[in-house]
């Protein structure tokens, strides 16, 4: 079984014995070597529950080191998050935040599942060592992709490519991807966008943690029930050993943990499954670790075992078949295999395997703009285009895994998703790094998005971003479009208008109001007027703004002693216009002190 490759030896025989006892206690209800009844299945709905023989990870290898014997805190106090404790109990800040966010989200969407974040932490520990000790950027994306071995049947399951290499970079076979190690086909169904950047990224801890939470809560599972908890874990990796390892870490984290800075988490001992390299096909070495088979216990050693795990491809070892069998034992002593028929063969001393040539690492020479559209948005809205750059070498070939820092520079209140002024994003296999989505503030104008590669002597790349004013392309009167007042009185009706943009309400749009003569001449020194801040007459208002519903409300309008027909013209940013007639008729009533001059308007 693939999971058996992941075994790691305990540091000492004493800790091994005690750890084995702990695991035995956790799985006491199970017959030796047997999976729980109904494992992976149960009463869940068929359209929402993974099939019994499937797994989120394709049964890929995982870290099997067990927790230390000293618990981090007293039982039931993990919510206190103590500041100190065993190093293994520390969870990187961003990773911990992602687990707790996923727990809160599932408490709302599937309250009957009772998902604890400590279960996500246990799975994240054995799958990737908590995203390689928290090596993630400000948005929660791993600094470089985390990939399991190629699932080509060579010691592991044989899973032909399902994503054309989109997630795992392999167009022939699938590989488990990201801190929660989803295979592409599973991610395609369960992947989430938990950080609101518009992408479902298996290498983002927020997206991956929420996807894992939903996957574990498939169907009608209640994770407070042991049988459902076992089924959920086994649906992740169909192995009794995996179940016991995850349960051990789950109990450990429930007794206490604490937050540590990103990048400082403790990785499990040994070479883990996370990102073994594109050509890695690890295989266990007989006699150097626990013997595969039913009833074996994580951390237990076989008598006479070497104190360290065998390395893939070591001389004198055999490569396992997908089902855990071997292609044939090697000749005792590491010598050559006798030819068929029993003939003799002159032994030759074993040769030292040649060290494979290490491909030359591409050197980044420059970064260039990758996005095609301009970075623009209306105030208060989201930018539809995201800043993106491509890292290339001297020949213009893309370079993957280059950390790129995107930074907002200039007088603006625009921010990246989450209110960040800067984010760190690694380039993908196409050499492209794409920043988080920009959220425009209320301040209009231009600013700069600066991209800086974490490589010496590579010039920064600046992109101009623009925030334009909110717009409305239409104004509709909320009442009559002709208002009447007697000379020297106030118009009894207040003017209201609704601004829309593409037939949707346009909130916070700038507007102006101007009173003109009937033929549109302005400015006037007589006729209807508004009162300014100091109480003096004014016939032009600027700085008006529609409310949250797109409604524009004007202050009271007064008539002086001049009779006639006048026009009130409203205009919004974006071209919305509305004209309302103001008629002053009748005899002067000795109202406002402003005296008319000249003849009344026609």
């Amino acid at each position: 079984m693939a999971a058996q490759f992941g075994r790691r030896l305990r540091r000492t025989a004493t800790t091994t014995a005690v750890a084995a006892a702990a695991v035995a206690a956790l799985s006491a209800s199970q017959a030796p070597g047997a999976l729980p009844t109904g494992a992976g299945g149960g009463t869940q709905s068929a359209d929402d529950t993974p099939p019994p023989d499937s797994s989120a990870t394709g049964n890929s290898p995982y870290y099997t080191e067990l927790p230390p014997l000293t618990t981090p805190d007293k039982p039931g106090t993990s919510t206190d998050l103590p500041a100190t404790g065993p190093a293994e109990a520390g969870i990187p800040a961003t990773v911990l935040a992602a687990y707790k966010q996923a727990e809160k989200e599932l408490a709302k969407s599937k309250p009957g599942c009772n998902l604890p974040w400590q279960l996500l932490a246990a799975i994240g520990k054995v799958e990737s060592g908590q995203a390689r000790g928290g090596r993630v950027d400000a948005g929660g994306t791993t600094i470089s992709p985390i990939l399991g071995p190629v699932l080509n049947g060579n010691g592991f399951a044989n899973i032909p490519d399902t994503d054309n290499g989109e997630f795992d970079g392999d167009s022939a076979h699938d590989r488990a991807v990201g801190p929660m190690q989803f295979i592409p086909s599973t991610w395609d169904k369960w992947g989430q966008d938990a950080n609101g950047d518009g992408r479902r990224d298996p290498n983002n801890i927020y997206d991956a943690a929420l996807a894992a939470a939903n996957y574990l809560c498939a169907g009608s599972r209640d994770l407070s029930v042991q049988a459902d908890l076992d089924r959920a874990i086994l649906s992740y990796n169909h192995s009794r050993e995996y179940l016991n390892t995850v349960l051990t870490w789950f109990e450990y984290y429930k007794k206490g943990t604490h937050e540590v800075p990103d990048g400082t988490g403790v990785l499990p001992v040994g070479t883990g499954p996370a990102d073994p390299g594109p050509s890695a096909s690890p295989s266990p070495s007989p006699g150097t670790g626990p013997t595969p088979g039913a009833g074996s216990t994580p951390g237990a050693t076989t008598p006479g075992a070497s104190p360290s795990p065998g390395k893939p491809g070591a001389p004198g070892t055999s490569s396992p078949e997908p089902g855990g069998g071997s292609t044939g034992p090697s000749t005792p002593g590491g010598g050559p295999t006798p030819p068929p028929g029993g003939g003799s063969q002159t032994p030759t001393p074993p040769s030292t395997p040649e060290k494979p040539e290490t491909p030359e690492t591409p050197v980044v020479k420059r970064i260039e703009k990758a996005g095609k559209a301009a970075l623009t948005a209306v105030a208060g809205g989201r930018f539809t285009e995201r800043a993106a750059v491509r890292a290339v070498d001297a020949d213009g070939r893309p370079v993957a895994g280059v950390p790129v820092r995107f930074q907002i520079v200039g007088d603006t209140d625009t921010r990246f998703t989450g209110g960040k002024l800067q984010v760190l994003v690694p380039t993908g296999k196409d050499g492209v790094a794409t920043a988080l989505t920009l959220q425009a503030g209320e301040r209009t104008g231009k600013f700069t998005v600066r991209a800086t590669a974490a490589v010496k002597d590579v010039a920064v790349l600046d992109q101009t971003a623009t925030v334009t004013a909110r717009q409305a392309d239409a104004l509709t009167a909320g009442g009559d479009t002709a208002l009447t007042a007697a000379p020297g009185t106030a118009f009894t009706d207040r003017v209201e208008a609704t601004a829309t943009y593409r037939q949707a309400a346009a909130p916070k749009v700038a507007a102006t109001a101007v009173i003109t003569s009937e033929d549109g001449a302005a400015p006037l020194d007589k006729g209807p007027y508004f009162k300014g801040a100091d109480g003096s007459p004014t016939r032009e208002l600027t700085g008006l703004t529609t409310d949250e519903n797109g409604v524009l409300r004007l202050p009271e309008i007064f008539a002086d002693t001049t009779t006639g027909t006048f026009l009130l013209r409203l205009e919004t940013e974006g071209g919305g216009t509305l004209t309302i007639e103001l008629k002053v008729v009748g005899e002067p009533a000795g109202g406002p002190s402003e005296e008319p001059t000249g003849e009344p308007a026609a």
Side-chain angles (χ1 to χ4, degrees):
M1 186 174 290
Q4 292 165 346
F5 160 75
R7 291 192 183 93
R8 297 292 177 265
L9 299 179
R10 302 294 291 158
R11 293 185 178 87
T12 68
T14 301
T15 56
T16 297
V18 179
V23 172
L26 286 170
S27 56
S29 62
Q30 308 302 330
L35 294 176
T37 302
T43 59
Q44 293 80 2
S45 59
D47 61 341
D48 193 34
T49 306
D53 58 349
S54 69
S55 74
T57 66
N59 293 328
S60 292
Y62 56 89
Y63 288 110
T64 59
E65 184 188 17
L66 298 177
L69 300 178
T70 304
T71 57
D73 201 358
K74 296 179 181 179
T77 60
S78 63
T79 54
D80 296 337
L81 295 179
T84 60
E88 290 86 344
I91 300 178
T94 299
V95 177
L96 179 60
Y99 295 153
K100 300 182 85 172
Q101 177 177 300
E103 179 193 54
K104 290 180 180 178
E105 185 64 32
L106 266 292
K108 293 185 293 184
S109 62
K110 282 200 170 185
C113 179
N114 295 305
L115 172 88
W117 64 259
Q118 292 91 339
L119 177 59
L120 296 174
I123 290 175
K125 181 70 173 183
V126 302
E127 291 295 348
S128 67
Q130 311 296 21
R132 295 202 197 102
R135 293 186 65 243
V136 296
D137 64 22
T141 302
T142 57
I143 300 302
S144 58
I146 298 178
L147 298 173
V150 179
L151 300 176
N152 57 6
N154 184 16
F156 311 110
N158 187 355
I159 304 180
D161 174 65
T162 60
D163 66 332
N164 199 29
E166 177 185 356
F167 296 119
D168 56 12
D170 192 322
S171 58
H173 292 86
D174 275 349
R175 303 173 71 173
V177 183
M180 303 304 280
Q181 288 288 278
F182 279 94
I183 55 174
S185 58
T186 308
W187 181 258
D188 183 59
K189 178 178 180 180
W190 295 92
Q192 302 286 319
D193 175 19
N195 63 348
D197 65 355
R199 294 183 298 169
R200 300 187 310 155
D201 184 359
N203 279 299
N204 181 277
I205 186 59
Y206 289 100
D207 293 358
L210 185 57
N214 278 281
Y215 184 89
L216 293 166
C217 287
S220 58
R221 288 176 184 151
D222 180 355
L223 301 185
S224 65
V225 177
Q226 187 64 43
D228 279 357
L229 176 63
D230 290 351
R231 291 187 185 100
I233 297 171
L234 285 166
S235 74
Y236 219 88
N237 190 313
H238 203 71
S239 159
R240 176 181 175 276
E241 227 176 37
Y242 182 85
L243 170 67
N244 291 339
T245 305
V246 170
L247 285 175
T248 306
W249 279 104
F250 180 41
E251 291 299 323
Y252 181 74
Y253 284 133
K254 285 199 299 183
K255 293 177 181 177
T257 185
H258 59 281
E259 180 183 295
V260 298
D262 289 346
T264 64
V266 176
L267 283 174
V269 173
T271 303
D275 198 15
S279 61
S281 296
S283 58
S285 302
T288 60
T291 302
S296 60
T297 303
T301 59
T302 304
S306 167
S308 61
K311 296 181 180 180
T317 64
S318 60
S319 299
E321 294 293 345
S326 68
T327 56
S330 58
T331 304
T337 303
S344 62
Q345 178 176 325
T346 303
T348 56
S351 59
T352 303
E354 293 184 5
K355 184 178 181 181
E357 292 185 6
T358 303
E360 183 179 349
T361 303
V363 178
V364 181
K365 287 298 182 182
R366 68 180 186 279
I367 53 176
E368 57 190 24
K369 182 180 177 181
K372 296 180 180 179
L375 300 177
T376 60
V378 175
R382 281 193 171 192
F383 283 70
T384 54
E385 183 75 6
R386 292 192 291 168
V389 298
R390 180 183 293 104
V392 297
D393 62 13
D395 296 324
R397 295 173 298 189
V399 182
V402 179
V404 177
R405 185 176 302 280
F406 292 91
Q407 183 180 8
I408 296 174
V409 179
D411 184 17
T412 180
D413 53 357
T414 295
R415 297 291 184 267
F416 290 112
T417 301
K420 299 177 175 62
L421 277 170
Q422 57 182 353
V423 293
L424 186 67
V425 183
T427 58
K429 63 179 181 179
D430 56 357
V432 175
T434 304
L436 297 180
T437 301
L438 287 165
Q439 174 67 47
E442 295 301 324
R443 196 172 303 165
T444 59
K446 298 182 182 297
F447 64 94
T448 298
V449 178
R450 176 164 297 162
T452 307
V455 180
K456 186 179 180 181
D457 297 330
V458 174
V460 301
L461 179 67
D462 287 345
Q463 299 181 57
T464 299
T466 305
V467 178
T468 59
R470 297 171 186 261
Q471 297 182 351
D473 53 17
L475 270 173
T476 305
D480 294 334
T481 55
L483 306 180
T484 303
T489 65
F491 287 81
T492 55
D493 294 325
R494 300 288 285 270
V495 175
E496 284 192 4
T498 299
T500 56
Y501 182 70
R502 297 179 180 176
Q503 299 183 336
K508 298 183 179 180
V509 175
T512 59
V514 179
I515 297 174
T516 71
S517 62
E518 189 175 15
D519 61 5
L524 293 179
D525 56 2
K526 58 184 179 180
Y529 62 93
F530 303 103
K531 285 185 178 180
D534 58 358
S536 61
T538 180
R539 295 176 174 87
E540 182 174 1
L541 295 178
T542 59
L544 300 173
T545 307
T546 62
D547 66 13
E548 294 292 340
N549 299 312
V551 176
L552 178 67
R553 294 181 175 86
L554 296 188
E556 194 171 22
I557 303 175
F558 301 90
D560 62 12
T561 57
T562 306
T563 60
T565 300
F566 303 85
L567 300 180
L568 170 63
R569 183 177 177 81
L570 305 178
E571 293 186 1
T572 64
E573 187 76 33
T577 62
L578 176 65
T579 301
I580 296 175
E581 282 190 350
L582 302 177
K583 294 183 177 181
V584 182
V585 295
E587 296 297 325
S593 60
E594 181 181 3
E595 294 294 330
T597 58
E599 297 296 325

